[in-house]
Amino acid sequence: MPPASSGMNWIAGGAAAAVLLPLLAITLDIPFWIACAVSATAGGGIVVMLSPRRPFEGLDASGAARGKIEFARELLTDAEPVAVRLEVSVSSIGTPKVAERVRHLARVSREIFAGIEEDPLRVDRVRRFLTYYLPRAADPVEAYALLEKAGNRDTTRMTATSDLIDRLDVAFTHYAINLQEADLGNLDIELKLLKSSLDEDLGPSKIDVPPDPNKRSARWPSRAGPSELD
């Protein structure tokens, strides 16, 4: 559930408690003090559930890492409203192809947010996305929706705006892949370290790549069949 805007969590919690109290005390004939306690607890739960969540709340870091986390938090906090604008704009665009493109922009944005929340130290890989491309993405999207609703359709501007949205989609995808490649780079490092440890303990491996599955079946016959090593 997306976080409520500032103050809305308290309004929602108070409203829920106000509705629940007479329901418990009058309709269900529960003692008033118990009804008050249950209503207050339910309202407080809603307040907490809808409270805005700060990214990386569970991370504990110091020094340079803390600075990078704070920087990533600021970028994501500023980027969140833009992602919401993209998500809201989807329903206001009538052209299916363009609407699907905008939906993809919003989905990729969320995927990048999730990747940064998982590892904020990778924020430099998508810094330009967060500081330049995403903040400007909602403007042409909303402009296209307005052009569609105009009485005298400006097809030239609509085509130019649609092309711009297409190119933004390419840029968004590029940065999503760039973030994924960070994971692959870390995997390569882990594999090299593991191979180095295995070579040290068991001796150097003669095979640097996984064997072909077909050749593997010939070299390692099943136990039920005749041995090909005899």
Side-chain angles (χ1 to χ4, degrees):
M1 179 180 293
S5 58
S6 179
M8 289 301 296
N9 55 327
W10 290 99
I11 295 174
V19 171
L20 191 59
L21 178 58
L23 178 64
L24 296 175
I26 300 174
T27 305
L28 300 180
D29 197 25
I30 294 177
F32 184 74
W33 69 272
I34 296 179
C36 288
V38 172
S39 300
T41 301
I46 292 176
V47 170
V48 173
M49 183 176 64
L50 296 181
S51 294
R53 183 178 60 85
R54 297 183 71 206
F56 323 122
E57 286 182 341
L59 293 181
D60 183 19
S62 59
R66 179 181 292 275
K68 185 64 68 70
I69 290 174
E70 287 297 330
F71 177 63
R73 178 183 286 125
E74 291 177 6
L75 291 182
L76 291 189
T77 300
D78 292 341
E80 171 67 24
V82 185
V84 172
R85 287 171 64 189
L86 292 175
E87 292 165 342
V88 171
S89 296
V90 173
S91 60
S92 63
I93 295 176
T95 305
K97 178 184 176 182
V98 178
E100 179 56 34
R101 193 74 75 202
V102 175
R103 186 177 292 108
H104 187 250
L105 291 176
R107 184 167 62 249
V108 171
S109 298
R110 293 298 180 185
E111 291 173 357
I112 291 177
F113 292 176
I116 294 301
E117 289 198 22
E118 182 179 340
D119 183 2
L121 300 184
R122 299 183 300 176
V123 68
D124 287 337
R125 284 181 168 267
V126 291
R127 183 193 299 231
R128 186 163 175 79
F129 165 80
L130 292 171
T131 60
Y132 185 77
Y133 287 112
L134 180 60
R136 289 162 176 77
D139 292 335
V141 168
E142 292 169 347
Y144 189 90
L146 291 175
L147 288 170
E148 276 190 328
K149 294 175 175 58
N152 184 17
R153 281 195 160 196
D154 189 336
T155 55
T156 300
R157 284 183 175 174
M158 289 181 65
T159 300
T161 307
S162 176
D163 289 343
L164 185 59
I165 294 172
D166 288 344
R167 298 191 67 185
L168 280 170
D169 186 52
V170 174
F172 276 42
T173 302
H174 164 76
Y175 281 100
I177 293 174
N178 199 27
L179 198 60
Q180 292 172 358
E181 287 178 348
D183 291 332
L184 295 178
N186 292 335
L187 176 62
D188 290 340
I189 294 173
E190 290 296 329
L191 290 176
K192 288 178 180 178
L193 291 174
L194 180 59
K195 181 180 182 300
S196 176
S197 296
L198 289 170
D199 288 347
E200 181 178 346
D201 292 339
L202 305 178
S205 173
K206 297 180 180 180
I207 302 176
D208 292 329
V209 296
D212 183 83
N214 295 326
K215 294 181 180 180
R216 182 184 180 88
S217 62
R219 293 172 54 202
W220 300 100
S222 63
R223 293 182 180 180
S227 174
E228 297 184 10
L229 301 179
D230 295 339

